[in-house]
Amino acid sequence: MTSTTMPSQDLQRERVVRRFALTDAIFHALSRAAAILVLILLSGVALSLVIGAWPALSAFGLSFFVTESWNPVTEKFGALAPIYGTLVTSAIAIVLAVPIGIGIAVFLTELCPRPLRRPIAIAIELLAGIPSIIYGIWGLFVFAPFVQTVVQPAVIDAFANIPVLSDLFAGPPYGIGVLTSSLILTIMVLPFITSITKDVFDTVPSVLKESAYGIGCTTWEVIRRIVIPYTRVGIMGGVMLGLGRALGETMAVTFVIGNAHRISSSLFAPGTTISATIANEFTEADGALYTSSLIALGLILFIITFIILAAARIMLMRIESKAGA
């Protein structure tokens, strides 16, 4: 009885091992295929952008990147104004959203009463689900008039006699402009930064914070010396996610930035971004050079995003290496 049972058990065990090996090989092949597919899609997008942008790049050369003029009638195109608007609005949005987002995350994890934590967290996450066109409509009909009648006149009067700031906040109060679109972007990227920062704050072991409180540290010291150093990689990931959203945002910015192809020293002046220019003019592009110039703008946005994300990844690797050392 025992001699016949043992071979059957060995055979069954061998079948199980073979089945596990087969499923593992299939999973490995599918995972590799998915990774290769991502690289193929990324390469295909880049190649199609290069091919579509080549007529404009060959016609204008490097002047395309440093020329401000954008005239479809004379077919003279330059990408400097959209590049400037994209970088400035995204930078202002991140500068404003990062400290606010981290502050909200600190409040939710350390200071907020427990009954209010979940409702506030859900409300913040719901902000991320609002379509961008809703932000644009709200910004055009509600926020821009408020900025025009309340914010801009007060700021212009406050900095009128200060040399640098008077130029930075100069001009008539249009309501729409670079600063207004930056503030809209701040509201849009805030939920991403806040949610991710809150989640990584929750991963900090309680024993670390309790030990710090036990030796007399204040809440500020615990956040500064324990929580933020422990979660800085995750915080940087949230910031990069928000920056990616700000760089590529289209409809909300199109509603409130003014869509003017010029560079002004004042943040109150109308401007444009790469995404807004493509959204406004692609359906009206009737010439090959005009269409190619818009595709070239898309290629520039692709390169800018790639460079920023690559630089962020390198910075994260350095942070991790220093932490390990």
Side-chain angles (χ1 to χ4, degrees), residues 223-243:
I223 296 298
R224 180 185 176 186
R225 301 186 181 277
I226 303 297
V227 176
I228 292 180
Y230 189 88
T231 60
R232 53 189 172 186
V233 176
I235 295 174
M236 187 62 65
V239 172
M240 289 301 105
L241 179 62
L243 180 57

Side-chain angles (χ1 to χ4, degrees), residues 11-231:
L11 182 60
Q12 184 178 5
R13 189 178 298 109
E14 183 179 356
R15 290 176 180 176
V16 172
V17 171
R18 288 180 179 178
R19 186 173 68 251
F20 285 166
L22 179 61
T23 55
D24 186 68
I26 294 174
F27 176 75
H28 186 271
L30 291 176
S31 301
R32 185 192 306 180
I36 295 174
L37 179 61
V38 171
L39 295 178
I40 292 175
L41 292 175
L42 184 63
S43 302
V45 170
L47 182 60
S48 62
L49 288 175
V50 170
I51 294 174
W54 184 251
L57 297 179
S58 60
F60 301 113
L62 293 178
S63 64
F64 182 77
F65 300 93
V66 296
T67 302
E68 182 180 346
S69 64
W70 186 274
N71 194 337
V73 177
T74 60
E75 292 192 332
K76 299 295 182 182
F77 301 103
L80 186 59
I83 294 174
Y84 170 81
T86 300
L87 296 178
V88 170
T89 54
S90 300
I92 294 175
I94 290 300
V95 168
L96 295 177
V98 168
I100 297 175
I102 294 177
I104 295 174
V106 170
F107 174 76
L108 290 176
T109 55
E110 301 294 332
L111 304 174
C112 182
R114 188 171 296 276
L116 296 179
R117 288 184 182 181
R118 187 170 181 81
I120 295 176
I122 293 175
I124 292 173
E125 293 176 357
L126 287 177
L127 287 176
I130 299 177
S132 61
I133 194 170
I134 302 300
Y135 281 108
I137 294 173
W138 174 79
L140 180 62
F141 292 105
V142 178
F143 189 68
F146 171 77
V147 173
Q148 181 184 17
T149 57
V150 178
V151 178
Q152 289 184 350
V155 174
I156 292 173
D157 294 338
F159 299 119
N161 299 321
I162 303 176
V164 177
L165 296 180
S166 62
D167 295 331
L168 193 61
F169 301 102
Y174 295 108
I176 59 175
V178 174
L179 183 62
T180 304
S181 62
S182 301
L183 296 176
I184 295 294
L185 282 178
T186 301
I187 299 173
M188 296 182 68
V189 304
L190 187 61
F192 296 93
I193 298 175
T194 302
S195 297
I196 294 177
T197 304
K198 175 185 173 299
D199 290 340
V200 297
F201 280 178
D202 289 334
T203 63
V204 179
S206 300
V207 64
L208 295 180
K209 295 187 289 186
E210 292 172 357
S211 299
Y213 284 123
I215 61 175
C217 292
T218 62
T219 303
W220 164 247
E221 290 174 333
V222 171
I223 296 298
R224 180 185 176 186
R225 301 186 181 277
I226 303 297
V227 176
I228 292 180
Y230 189 88
T231 60

